[in-house]
Amino acid sequence: MLKKDALRVSVLRLALAAVNNEKIAKGRELDEAEIIALLQKEVKKRHEAIALYNQGKRPELAQKEAAEIKIINEYLPAMMGEKELGELVKAMKKKGELGTDFGQAMRTVMAKVKGKAEGKLVAQIVKQEL
């Protein structure tokens, strides 16, 4: 607030409000994993908004959403890269943890990388390995 960064203040207020709303809905304090999942959900919402704004030919609004994503990502743990995730899935396949069913493999991998990788990337890599 002292730096007069209105966008950052706005984004952080919205994120804090989302956390407080979820806390009220659950009737208890949220743990770190739940807060991370909530922030990732906010990022996903903004990605969807960017797609809609680009489709509606509103690039200025899409840029604003992209800036908001950048701010929220500063508060999230680093996501796994494609190479790192690929190595993990290959190691799990060698150990026989994946199985042959796509759904079971996705559940296993997502449980292992919860909050550290995007679901789309995981699905893409699991499909390649199966």
Side-chain angles (χ1 to χ4, degrees):
M1 287 172 48
L2 294 176
K3 293 181 181 180
K4 306 285 189 218
D5 190 351
L7 180 64
R8 179 175 294 275
V9 171
S10 171
V11 170
L12 293 177
R13 282 183 177 159
L14 286 171
L16 186 58
V19 169
N20 285 331
N21 288 340
E22 189 69 17
K23 183 170 68 171
I24 291 169
K26 291 193 176 192
R28 61 176 172 77
E29 291 292 323
L30 302 177
D31 63 6
E32 187 176 341
E34 291 173 320
I35 293 172
I36 289 171
L38 191 63
L39 290 176
Q40 288 172 338
K41 187 176 174 184
E42 292 295 318
V43 169
K44 186 176 179 181
K45 283 183 195 176
R46 283 164 177 77
H47 279 297
E48 292 168 356
I50 287 172
L52 291 173
Y53 287 141
N54 286 333
Q55 190 177 26
K57 298 179 183 168
R58 300 291 308 262
E60 68 282 356
L61 293 175
Q63 289 174 347
K64 181 180 179 276
E65 295 289 335
E68 290 179 5
I69 289 172
K70 200 174 190 181
I71 292 169
I72 294 171
N73 280 334
E74 291 176 16
Y75 296 92
L76 286 171
M79 301 296 266
M80 293 177 79
E82 188 172 345
K83 183 179 178 183
E84 185 181 359
L85 187 57
E87 290 172 2
L88 176 71
V89 172
K90 285 179 184 177
M92 290 176 74
K93 185 177 179 182
K94 282 183 183 179
K95 293 179 186 176
E97 295 176 359
L98 290 185
T100 56
D101 178 38
F102 176 75
Q104 178 186 3
M106 279 295 294
R107 282 188 294 278
T108 305
V109 174
M110 288 302 289
K112 193 148 195 150
V113 299
K114 188 171 188 168
K116 297 178 188 171
E118 290 186 20
K120 287 182 182 179
L121 183 59
V122 172
Q124 176 187 349
I125 292 174
V126 168
K127 283 180 185 176
Q128 289 174 356
E129 289 300 317
L130 292 179

